[in-house]
Amino acid sequence: MSFPIVRHRRLRQSTGMRNLVRETVLNVHDLIMPIFVTYGEGVKNEISSMPGIYHFSLDTLKEEVDEIVALGIPAVLLFGIPETKDSVGTSAFVEDGIVQEATRLIKKWYPDLLVVADTCLCEFTDHGHCGMVHTFEVDGHVHGDVMNDESLELLTKTAVSQAKAGADIIAPSNMMDGFVQAIRTGLDEAGFEHVPIMSYSVKYASAFYGPFREAADSAPQFGDRKTYQMDPANAREALREAETDVLEGADMLMVKPALAYMDVIRTLKDQFDLPLVAYNVSGEYSMVKAAALQGWINEQAIVQEMLTGMKRAGADIIITYFAKDAARWMQER
């Protein structure tokens, strides 16, 4: 009887052996936890489509931030739901905007916790799009064109106001052409040349954003975002988008969503030498939560495998609503 000379199972025979030869290790320092801040007082409302994720008013925010810091998570990503909205998203760039006020509080409480500010207009516009819109009617139905170049000025104002409030990283998610160059120029001219840009370089027009639209109250009031977010069928286009952002001065690149786009994450990792971010988005979170609540899956095992897969694909940083859970599980190892 012939026996195998090469036995791969030798390096799998115990927990200690598997730990010793593990190629990809997920670390708490890889994680960013998103937070939704809103107006009002005493608000801590669970988002129905995202179990375990809440809207926080400024007076209830500290409890959440305390927990994040205690778990060793190094950064938060802020999304704001304003009290008022208008056609140009004024609440996004005013000095006392909800994201700006939350940033000041967090940096006061924990100066070393990194605050990443999402730089977009969709939560702040009454039409729900990520830039200025020219609207018109056809047969009684409202249509609109998102105006690229006119939107850049507003996005730059938003980024500068966020930096003034103390944001450590500006994360523009609008997918307008030229947004990195416009924001980089605006930050530099305002004296914030030290503030890095984490660019949502490759953001697909994805069905996985559904729960976020509820959380951020940002669903478009007409049309969709397919004229500025990427077609999910395209991969080579992702290289063009990322290369443009690199040339315009991005400091980090992002792929969003993550789970269905592991190939794109790997492609960008192989082509560019900037830190790469994967956004484990709301739909990915909610699907796992829903299945876990039904008892169909082992949530902890699924999440750890999923996040490890994102890192194995090439992500250096993972934005995930599971950040607190993952950090707790790491402490238990």
Side-chain angles (χ1 to χ4, degrees), residues 117 119 155-165 167-172 179-198 248-251:
T119 306
L155 292 163
T156 299
K157 289 176 65 176
T158 301
V160 171
S161 73
Q162 292 167 338
K164 284 181 178 178
D168 298 285
I169 299 170
I170 298 300
F179 69 91
V180 172
Q181 181 176 337
I183 290 172
R184 182 73 273 158
T185 299
L187 289 172
D188 290 356
E189 290 177 351
F192 296 106
E193 63 280 349
H194 62 285
V195 175
I197 294 175
M198 176 191 288
E248 292 182 3
D251 301 282

Side-chain angles (χ1 to χ4, degrees), residues 135-181:
T135 58
F136 52 94
E137 284 194 15
V138 177
D139 298 330
H141 297 285
V142 176
H143 296 263
D145 292 326
V146 177
M147 303 162 66
N148 191 96
D149 296 3
E150 293 84 349
S151 300
L152 295 179
E153 181 180 352
L154 300 179
L155 292 163
T156 299
K157 289 176 65 176
T158 301
V160 171
S161 73
Q162 292 167 338
K164 284 181 178 178
D168 298 285
I169 299 170
I170 298 300
S173 60
N174 52 86
M175 288 297 285
M176 297 295 110
D177 289 335
F179 69 91
V180 172
Q181 181 176 337

Side-chain angles (χ1 to χ4, degrees), residues 107-123:
K107 296 307 291 184
K108 176 183 176 182
W109 299 329
Y110 294 105
D112 293 333
L113 180 65
L114 295 174
V115 173
V116 185
D118 180 79
T119 306
C120 196
L121 301 178
C122 60
E123 300 111 291

Side-chain angles (χ1 to χ4, degrees), residues 15 17-26 308 333:
T15 299
M17 186 69 75
R18 291 189 296 273
N19 288 343
L20 188 66
V21 299
R22 182 160 293 138
E23 299 172 22
T24 304
V25 178
L26 188 67
T308 299
R333 287 196 303 223

Side-chain angles (χ1 to χ4, degrees), residues 3-312:
F3 293 97
I5 296 174
V6 178
R7 295 183 182 270
H8 300 290
R9 291 179 57 187
R10 294 186 187 117
L11 301 183
R12 304 172 189 157
Q13 60 187 312
S14 68
T15 299
M17 186 69 75
R18 291 189 296 273
N19 288 343
L20 188 66
V21 299
R22 182 160 293 138
E23 299 172 22
T24 304
V25 178
L26 188 67
N27 189 287
V28 69
H29 299 299
D30 303 328
L31 306 177
I32 297 176
M33 179 69 193
I35 302 178
F36 296 96
V37 289
T38 190
Y39 57 91
E41 295 181 356
V43 177
K44 183 183 177 183
N45 296 332
E46 189 172 32
I47 299 162
S48 62
S49 59
M50 299 178 69
I53 304 299
Y54 295 82
H55 289 128
F56 296 96
S57 54
L58 295 178
D59 61 329
T60 64
L61 179 61
K62 191 171 187 299
E63 180 182 351
E64 174 76 352
V65 178
D66 287 345
E67 185 179 8
I68 289 167
V69 170
L71 288 167
I73 296 168
V76 296
L77 172 61
L78 291 185
F79 295 100
I81 298 90
E83 188 169 13
T84 60
K85 302 187 179 194
D86 59 27
S87 62
V88 296
T90 303
S91 296
F93 49 80
V94 292
E95 185 177 347
D96 60 350
I98 188 68
V99 169
Q100 288 81 355
E101 292 292 342
T103 300
R104 291 187 188 97
L105 284 174
I106 293 171
K107 296 307 291 184
K108 176 183 176 182
W109 299 329
Y110 294 105
D112 293 333
L113 180 65
L114 295 174
V115 173
V116 185
D118 180 79
T119 306
C120 196
L121 301 178
C122 60
E123 300 111 291
F124 304 93
T125 54
D126 53 15
H127 47 73
H129 281 284
C130 301
M132 287 182 64
V133 171
H134 168 65
T135 58
F136 52 94
E137 284 194 15
V138 177
D139 298 330
H141 297 285
V142 176
H143 296 263
D145 292 326
V146 177
M147 303 162 66
N148 191 96
D149 296 3
E150 293 84 349
S151 300
L152 295 179
E153 181 180 352
L154 300 179
L155 292 163
T156 299
K157 289 176 65 176
T158 301
V160 171
S161 73
Q162 292 167 338
K164 284 181 178 178
D168 298 285
I169 299 170
I170 298 300
S173 60
N174 52 86
M175 288 297 285
M176 297 295 110
D177 289 335
F179 69 91
V180 172
Q181 181 176 337
I183 290 172
R184 182 73 273 158
T185 299
L187 289 172
D188 290 356
E189 290 177 351
F192 296 106
E193 63 280 349
H194 62 285
V195 175
I197 294 175
M198 176 191 288
S199 174
Y200 285 64
S201 300
V202 182
K203 182 178 180 180
Y204 286 91
S206 173
F208 283 98
Y209 303 150
F212 179 91
R213 301 275 166 85
E214 177 199 347
D217 188 24
S218 63
Q221 297 304 299
F222 56 85
D224 54 40
R225 296 181 176 142
K226 293 180 180 179
T227 63
Y228 46 101
Q229 294 178 358
M230 278 185 54
D231 183 342
N234 292 356
R236 294 194 305 271
E237 184 183 5
L239 289 172
R240 299 197 296 272
E241 288 278 1
E243 183 179 20
T244 298
D245 289 358
V246 171
L247 294 173
E248 292 182 3
D251 301 282
M252 307 177 219
L253 305 176
M254 186 191 301
V255 176
K256 178 183 180 182
L259 196 58
Y261 300 90
M262 297 281 204
D263 59 322
V264 179
I265 294 172
R266 171 46 57 188
T267 298
L268 262 65
K269 184 69 170 182
D270 290 341
Q271 293 293 322
F272 303 102
D273 60 2
L274 293 180
L276 184 58
V277 185
Y279 197 144
N280 178 210
V281 300
S282 61
E284 298 165 357
Y285 173 88
S286 296
M287 289 192 303
V288 172
K289 282 290 184 182
L293 288 170
Q294 292 295 323
W296 296 338
I297 61 172
N298 179 326
E299 181 181 354
Q300 179 175 342
I302 288 285
V303 172
Q304 289 176 323
E305 183 175 343
M306 185 169 62
L307 297 181
T308 299
M310 292 170 194
K311 190 168 183 186
R312 188 188 66 245

